[in-house]
Amino acid sequence: MITYSPAMSSRAPRPEVQRLVTAVLTALLTVLALGLAGAAPAKAAVDYTQGITATGSGSVQIWFKPTTPASLVDVHYLSPSAGQQNFRMTNNAGTWQQNVSSLPNGFTLEYWFTYEKGGPLYDTPHFTYTVGTGQGGGGGGTGSFPITFQNNTRGTYANSQIYVTVLGQVTPGQWSYMKSDGTMTHISHLDANAPGHLTKNGVNYPNMSFTLAQSGTSVPSPTSIRGGRIYVSLGSPLYIPVSPDDQGWGGPDLRNPNDPNTDVYYDWYEYTYVFGQVAFGGNTTQVDQFGFPMTSRLTQTSSGYDTTRGITLTRAQVMSQYAASVGTAFKPLQNAYRIIAPRSSNSFLAGGSQANHLESTIDQTWSYYSAHPFELTRLGETFTGQVSGTTLTFTKNGAGPYTLHKPSSPDVMACAGALASGSDPEKQLGAEFCAAFNRGVALDTSAWYTPSTYYNGGVKNDYAAFMHTVGLDQRAYAFPYDDINDQSSVQILSNANPPTGLTLGIGW
């Protein structure tokens, strides 16, 4: 039987993914009117032709003609006043049509399609059309960018042994996966029994992976993807079930000893990007585990952005240095396949052998702020308050009062529970406390934004401390709120235009 764990299900984003999306949205620019009137007409794909025909002042008809008859075609477009609109198109003798009106002259209409072909559903790139000029821009060159994979395993794994699994929401609310040619296809539980499906331990799974030998070393990114995961696995594909309603998928579950990916080497990169709306934001991550070293180089020539994040040490170096540097409680997190993060290990969660690992420093901190005022100033905001019993009552910039309840050690390791509930100010301060406890500086708020004081001693998250020592520029995403004070491996562009490229290095 397949169990869909809420913690690992794709239905609810993890805290760090939510924070990444929020951070990316802060980089949102109003660039829908990008002046694309002079762009070349949209190029037809092999599967279809498409376009827009003006039908009057401010009115157009969007059309889509598949080369293979389709049972349905949906059009999605961005309205100038109501945001994204989604319609089932009308089939007129094999050409699917949708009328749109009340468009201002000069408005650049962004639109894309979902169409059925032979059962599966496919998403097209995004296209643009400038109202009143009749000019359109094609997909691919108007928002996509290449994702390049570098095999840096030094001969340990051939390209035919390196598997890539890309999952994300191309259409909001609907999960898709990438095929080897870069096209995105809606997930389907029926694929578990389709030709070419995967089987492990007597259970069938959809085959949603491709090798670098099949795809080449570069694939195009979708022009729109939210909650994107680029899994890389070595020597084996990933075994990922799809829920019967096709609305979710079960990622590798490190807390389940019977998970089919327990004996698979894997790691991943995560990103969100919507051309013209949401600036690219992505990161390497060790929030759940370290499988093998990965690097990510993100470039955008027009803005001069060029950064590389990740780990360049060999896997053997990382594994040996970890074993030599962490405390006794953290050593069992390491096995032959990976190093598991505390928040993904049963031993550090409620009922586990290390469930009270941070209890002493939490008690000490709450006791201190019972006898002393609490004050934290950061990013132009000031939180003040005091602890009474198990509750910190505080104000933010004079507004409130708000409350933050005393967290448990599992709350801190997972940045959950008491540290991730309540109103926005309560969640904000909960995130700050989560970072401070993990970094071992909770008792002194003057140290919360001083990286040189992090992980210097006492009770802390040894796993996170170590991951920052091996990450380039000492950056890592080793716990869910590791981006506080810009310590994570996140890469965010300042505009919603496509990157020039994303290069993922796969090490060993």
Side-chain angles (χ1 to χ4, degrees):
M1 183 178 71
I2 299 171
T3 301
Y4 296 89
S5 166
M8 302 303 292
S9 169
S10 60
R11 295 175 185 269
R14 302 175 303 156
E16 66 278 4
V17 174
Q18 291 174 321
R19 287 179 62 79
L20 173 60
V21 171
T22 299
V24 171
L25 287 174
T26 63
L28 175 64
L29 299 179
T30 308
V31 292
L32 293 180
L34 284 173
L36 295 174
K43 294 181 179 179
V46 174
D47 279 359
Y48 57 86
T49 54
Q50 61 80 33
I52 287 184
T53 302
T55 56
S57 179
S59 299
V60 300
Q61 183 178 86
I62 306 174
W63 61 269
F64 182 95
K65 186 172 184 178
T67 54
T68 300
S71 63
L72 66 88
V73 178
D74 291 339
V75 64
H76 320 280
Y77 65 88
L78 300 180
S79 161
S81 60
Q84 181 172 320
Q85 304 293 298
N86 308 287
F87 289 98
R88 178 65 47 82
M89 302 182 78
T90 300
N91 187 357
N92 184 1
T95 299
W96 297 75
Q97 300 168 336
Q98 175 66 37
N99 294 320
V100 182
S101 59
S102 301
L103 298 172
N105 193 50
F107 176 72
T108 300
L109 179 67
E110 181 180 353
Y111 64 101
W112 64 103
F113 305 92
T114 299
Y115 64 99
E116 182 271 343
K117 180 183 177 183
L121 297 176
Y122 297 87
D123 294 302
T124 72
H126 289 214
F127 305 96
T128 56
Y129 175 91
T130 302
V131 179
T133 67
Q135 297 295 313
T142 61
S144 184
F145 60 90
I147 301 172
T148 301
F149 299 94
Q150 288 183 343
N151 182 347
N152 298 332
T153 65
R154 299 173 294 116
T156 305
Y157 292 92
N159 283 359
S160 60
Q161 298 172 295
I162 298 179
Y163 293 81
V164 175
T165 312
V166 181
L167 290 148
Q169 292 191 18
V170 176
T171 301
Q174 173 62 58
W175 290 93
S176 297
Y177 72 95
M178 181 181 286
K179 292 198 167 186
S180 59
D181 63 359
T183 59
M184 299 295 289
T185 304
H186 288 212
I187 62 172
S188 172
H189 72 286
L190 298 177
D191 288 347
N193 296 307
H197 69 264
L198 304 176
T199 301
K200 189 167 186 179
N201 301 329
V203 178
N204 292 349
Y205 299 90
N207 186 358
M208 297 187 288
S209 303
F210 56 84
T211 68
L212 297 190
Q214 292 172 322
S215 66
T217 57
S218 181
V219 295
S221 170
T223 57
S224 171
I225 185 167
R226 293 168 172 87
R229 287 270 190 103
I230 304 175
Y231 284 105
V232 179
S233 53
L234 304 178
S236 166
L238 283 179
Y239 299 89
I240 297 178
V242 172
S243 60
D245 61 4
D246 296 335
Q247 294 302 301
W249 49 275
D253 187 351
L254 293 164
R255 300 182 198 132
N256 178 10
N258 297 316
D259 185 89
N261 302 294
T262 298
D263 59 354
V264 176
Y265 297 107
Y266 65 86
D267 218 294
W268 69 88
Y269 185 86
E270 52 195 18
Y271 77 114
T272 286
Y273 162 69
V274 180
F275 173 49
Q277 297 179 71
V278 181
F280 179 99
N283 57 270
T284 58
T285 177
Q286 291 83 44
V287 164
D288 287 311
Q289 60 119 52
F290 164 83
F292 47 81
M294 285 186 64
T295 58
S296 62
R297 182 186 180 190
L298 180 69
T299 62
Q300 188 183 57
T301 302
S302 60
S303 64
Y305 189 95
D306 188 344
T307 66
T308 301
R309 301 279 186 254
I311 299 173
T312 56
L313 297 178
T314 67
R315 187 176 191 272
Q317 288 173 322
V318 173
M319 299 297 267
S320 64
Q321 290 180 25
Y322 178 86
S325 65
V326 300
T328 302
F330 292 83
K331 291 183 184 296
L333 296 175
Q334 182 177 16
N335 61 47
Y337 291 95
R338 59 191 45 87
I339 305 171
I340 302 172
R343 81 91 169 246
S344 296
S345 167
N346 287 326
S347 62
F348 280 87
L349 300 182
S353 60
Q354 301 299 329
N356 297 320
H357 179 74
L358 295 175
E359 209 69 36
S360 62
T361 190
I362 295 170
D363 289 344
Q364 185 181 10
T365 300
W366 241 241
S367 176
Y368 180 84
Y369 292 122
S370 295
H372 302 82
F374 171 82
E375 181 172 344
L376 172 68
T377 298
R378 87 320 174 245
L379 305 177
E381 299 176 329
T382 298
F383 298 81
T384 59
Q386 194 144 8
V387 169
S388 176
T390 60
T391 302
L392 169 62
T393 302
F394 69 94
T395 62
K396 176 186 174 183
N397 294 335
Y402 306 104
T403 58
L404 183 70
H405 298 293
K406 182 180 179 181
S408 65
S409 181
D411 285 346
V412 173
M413 289 299 187
C415 293
L419 299 179
S421 60
S423 64
D424 285 345
E426 290 164 345
K427 290 177 181 177
Q428 288 173 355
L429 189 57
E432 297 287 344
F433 263 104
C434 178
F437 278 125
N438 276 282
R439 294 166 178 167
V441 295
L443 276 172
D444 181 7
T445 56
S446 68
W448 287 22
Y449 275 69
T450 308
S452 61
T453 66
Y454 298 167
Y455 308 114
N456 281 339
V459 183
K460 61 188 183 305
N461 183 339
D462 287 11
Y463 170 89
F466 170 77
M467 288 301 168
H468 280 276
T469 67
V470 296
L472 291 173
D473 197 27
Q474 296 188 311
R475 290 176 174 271
Y477 222 139
F479 60 87
Y481 291 118
D482 212 351
D483 56 340
I484 285 179
N485 198 24
D486 192 25
Q487 298 300 295
S488 75
S489 55
V490 166
Q491 299 164 298
I492 300 178
L493 294 179
S494 62
N495 60 77
N497 294 324
T500 302
L502 173 67
T503 301
L504 299 179
I506 303 162
W508 188 260

